[in-house]
Amino acid sequence: MKKKLSFGFWRSLLPECVDPYPILAFIIPFGIYMATLAPSVTFFDSGEFLTASYALGSAHSPGYPLFLMYTKPFTWLPLGNIAFRINMATAFSSSLACLSVYLLTLRILKDERIVEQERFAGFAVKAAGLAAALAFAVTPRLWLQSNHDKPYPLLAFITAVIFLLLLQWREHYRNGSERPAYVYACTFLAGMSMAAHQSVVLLLPSWFLLIVLADWRMILRVKELILATAFALLGFSVHLYLPLRATQNPLLNWGDPKTYGQFMWHFLRKGYPAEPHTRNASLWWAQIKAFNIPHEFTWLGGALVILALVCLWRKQRDVAIAYLAGVGTFLAVIAGYFNTPNETIFLTEEFFTPLYLLSAVLIGIGLFHLLGFALRRARLPERYDMRVYLLVTVMFFMLPVSLCAVNYYENDQHDNYIAYDYATNSLRSLPQNTIMFTWGDSGAFPLWYLQGVERMREDVDLPHTPHLVFGWYLDSMPRVFRNSALKQLDVQSLDPEACLRVAIAEEIGVRPVYVDFSTRYSVSFNEYVPVQKGLVYRMRRSSEPVGLPDISVWENYNNRGILEKISFLDLDTGKAILIYASSYLEAGDFLLSVGRSAEGMRMLAMAGQIAPELQANIQQVLMRYGMAR
């Protein structure tokens, strides 16, 4: 007679000391992230973070020193290029964040007993924690961050550790044991995590409430308050990295924070002046929707969060209050105080990652209580056999599996070379000893990575036009600006366009001067004429001969992901593809104007193939030359 396979049989295959659940809570997300990891530099802040991490420098304000120090050891791994290794560091921190979801869920459900049978009760808690961890792992926001260099998963992991320590302290305190070291560890981690991202301060009310709801008299303990503050300052001292490294003039030294004044300018983000603007109901609602649980976890996930809050309100009200306080603080500051313009709201969505982690924990708690509700109304045998375990497994893991299926294609970046190719194609277009001025961050940062980290085209200078108004930036490029008139001017009183004109006037005639596509169409040049060369433009004086565009450069370009649709297309990746198409369109227009019809038609055909939405523009060009069909 065949022996019936039970849950206990499968569990007995592992050593008693090995718990598979936390291992799976880390390994499964890490495997998913590695399978979909970006192979190189991407757009937005990627190239800048990669360069700063590699050089142990300073990234954009406020510098992100903890994130840079965390990623640096990964650059020593013998795997892929530097960008891939640092991207893997983010995948690792995201997997740690998923593991922390599992641990937090178990911690909150520690005293819950769903049935009398001990083995099944333990399985229900651990399966709920694992389901919560995996659901968080495949949410679109965390998955997007996990595939390339981002500090938010690291921040989410640290905040989860703080919650775990506070829950541990609360248990000891209720049992009559003080254990203030837990609180000191929390304040140290909170101070240190400011060096990962400053949005951590928005969770301070939640942590404060967890402490005072255990005993309000805690706020009267002067000695403990002083020690907690001291540990917070000790953690915050990680920021000393910035002035210390600045004295070594690293490859990327944003803000040059070696002096107190420059450090505070950098830390307080003074380089990002906010333009006041009015807010209507539509903008306010868009800002509120930046935190969107149904979008991340589906409406089922949102319902489970509400169920968990109801259940926690009865038994662990302080946890529910802490979560709601966190949501309220984040929305009040990010949506209320910041008043983010509509076009940049997508940037604030990443700030909510720690809240999504806590929401995932609530989903695990909601699943657990939903199972309890079902068990109380179901007619089940006294001993739960394998069929019950399988049914619970399907019930718990239906949500993460569905989320993975829905989000996998859009977050698969394993073949995303568009930013890398865009930057290398731009560099291939430049003659020896060129200076090329850039405008947008996504156009500049991949170039910084290729030149600074992969040592590509070190003969070229790549000034970033928006930074020409900062003295520290001019000092960072002595080869270009050592004797520049810009250093004698009050550049901060000028706009970037005025600084660009001064810089071009100093360089033109001395060396080849180029601008990228964004600069070409962001600045009006009256005294100069941009001459197209692929994706970039050579600047010539208006008095010089026009010349013909060099179309041979297109043959040397890599176009991976341009002609065939790749899975992942963020805002700037889509813009880069449109730039390719627009550049082909512009070249085709010019070639038709000088009678080179065959070449012009080929260029227009490429533009239409890359971006079908430009067909109307292509037809206008053809009509202008009497070639429309």
Side-chain angles (χ1 to χ4, degrees), residues 184-229:
Y184 301 151
C186 290
T187 56
F188 172 81
L189 290 173
M192 185 180 69
S193 61
M194 282 282 287
H197 198 272
Q198 293 174 343
S199 59
V200 69
V201 299
L202 302 179
L203 283 172
L204 292 179
S206 298
W207 297 328
F208 175 77
L209 285 170
L210 275 178
I211 294 173
V212 298
L213 288 175
D215 188 346
W216 68 267
R217 291 169 297 183
M218 287 292 170
I219 60 176
L220 304 177
R221 297 189 175 185
V222 177
K223 176 185 173 183
E224 283 84 350
L225 287 175
I226 293 173
L227 284 171
T229 303

Side-chain angles (χ1 to χ4, degrees), residues 520-575:
R520 161 71 176 88
Y521 286 98
S522 298
V523 181
S524 297
F525 297 103
N526 297 321
E527 60 274 41
Y528 305 107
V529 176
V531 179
Q532 186 185 18
K533 187 178 181 183
L535 295 171
V536 300
Y537 296 81
R538 178 178 66 83
M539 303 301 291
R540 68 167 181 84
R541 294 187 179 94
S542 301
S543 57
E544 294 177 4
V546 177
L548 294 175
D550 180 2
I551 63 170
S552 64
V553 69
W554 292 102
E555 299 172 3
N556 298 321
Y557 281 3
N558 279 327
N559 292 320
R560 290 174 289 186
I562 301 301
L563 295 175
E564 70 281 357
K565 185 182 184 302
I566 64 169
S567 57
F568 181 79
L569 282 179
D570 61 21
L571 180 64
D572 277 12
T573 303
K575 284 182 179 179

Side-chain angles (χ1 to χ4, degrees), residues 225-445:
L225 287 175
I226 293 173
L227 284 171
T229 303
F231 276 100
L233 291 173
L234 181 62
F236 185 81
S237 67
V238 170
H239 284 85
L240 290 174
Y241 160 98
L242 293 171
L244 291 174
R245 285 298 301 163
T247 61
Q248 303 303 308
N249 296 314
L251 178 63
L252 180 54
N253 189 24
W254 196 300
D256 191 19
K258 62 170 65 79
T259 66
Y260 174 77
Q262 277 302 117
F263 173 81
M264 294 306 296
W265 179 92
H266 197 31
F267 179 74
L268 296 176
R269 305 169 66 91
K270 294 292 187 180
Y272 302 106
E275 297 269 342
H277 59 276
T278 57
R279 171 164 42 189
N280 53 30
S282 174
L283 177 58
W284 178 81
W285 180 239
Q287 293 165 345
I288 293 289
K289 286 196 303 180
F291 178 59
N292 194 336
I293 290 178
H295 176 261
E296 298 296 317
F297 297 100
T298 73
W299 285 103
L300 173 59
L304 289 170
V305 168
I306 294 172
L307 174 61
L309 288 171
V310 171
C311 295
L312 287 173
W313 195 262
R314 298 171 181 168
K315 297 183 178 180
Q316 299 187 61
R317 186 168 298 181
D318 54 347
V319 175
I321 291 174
Y323 173 80
L324 294 173
V327 173
T329 305
F330 268 78
L331 291 177
V333 174
I334 294 175
Y337 176 74
F338 285 172
N339 192 17
T340 310
N342 199 61
E343 62 271 15
T344 55
I345 286 176
F346 74 96
L347 296 175
T348 66
E349 293 173 355
E350 299 183 307
F351 298 169
F352 293 100
T353 303
L355 284 187
Y356 287 131
L357 184 149
L358 297 177
S359 301
V361 173
L362 293 181
I363 285 173
I365 295 169
L367 283 170
F368 176 84
H369 286 290
L370 186 64
L371 175 62
F373 178 83
L375 289 176
R376 286 192 293 272
R377 283 156 180 76
R379 296 179 179 178
L380 296 173
E382 284 190 22
R383 288 187 62 84
Y384 299 142
D385 60 17
M386 196 59 159
R387 291 171 298 176
V388 178
Y389 282 94
L390 287 174
L391 187 62
V392 173
T393 300
V394 171
M395 170 186 167
F396 277 8
F397 292 95
M398 179 174 59
L399 177 60
V401 169
S402 300
L403 285 172
C404 184
V406 169
N407 296 323
Y408 189 96
Y409 180 77
E410 289 300 322
N411 288 284
D412 181 11
Q413 295 197 53
H414 80 275
D415 58 353
N416 182 7
Y417 290 94
I418 292 180
Y420 179 88
D421 287 345
Y422 184 87
T424 54
N425 291 340
S426 298
L427 291 175
R428 285 192 180 108
S429 307
L430 304 176
Q432 195 75 14
N433 194 36
T434 290
I435 181 170
M436 183 174 77
F437 294 90
T438 58
W439 188 269
D441 290 351
S442 285
F445 293 166

Side-chain angles (χ1 to χ4, degrees), residues 40-113:
S40 186
V41 64
T42 57
F43 286 119
F44 291 106
D45 298 330
S46 173
E48 173 228 347
F49 272 134
L50 295 172
T51 307
S53 296
Y54 174 77
L56 277 181
S58 175
H60 67 274
S61 298
Y64 304 91
L66 181 63
F67 177 69
L68 302 183
M69 287 188 284
Y70 161 73
T71 56
K72 178 60 179 178
F74 285 84
T75 65
W76 304 330
L77 296 175
L79 296 171
N81 55 38
I82 296 296
F84 180 83
R85 299 170 197 175
I86 296 175
N87 292 344
M88 188 167 67
T90 308
F92 189 85
S93 61
S94 297
S95 303
L96 288 176
C98 296
L99 173 60
S100 69
V101 169
Y102 170 81
L103 297 175
L104 260 177
T105 307
L106 257 65
R107 187 66 193 75
I108 294 173
L109 294 176
K110 180 182 178 183
D111 298 324
E112 298 284 347
R113 195 170 183 83

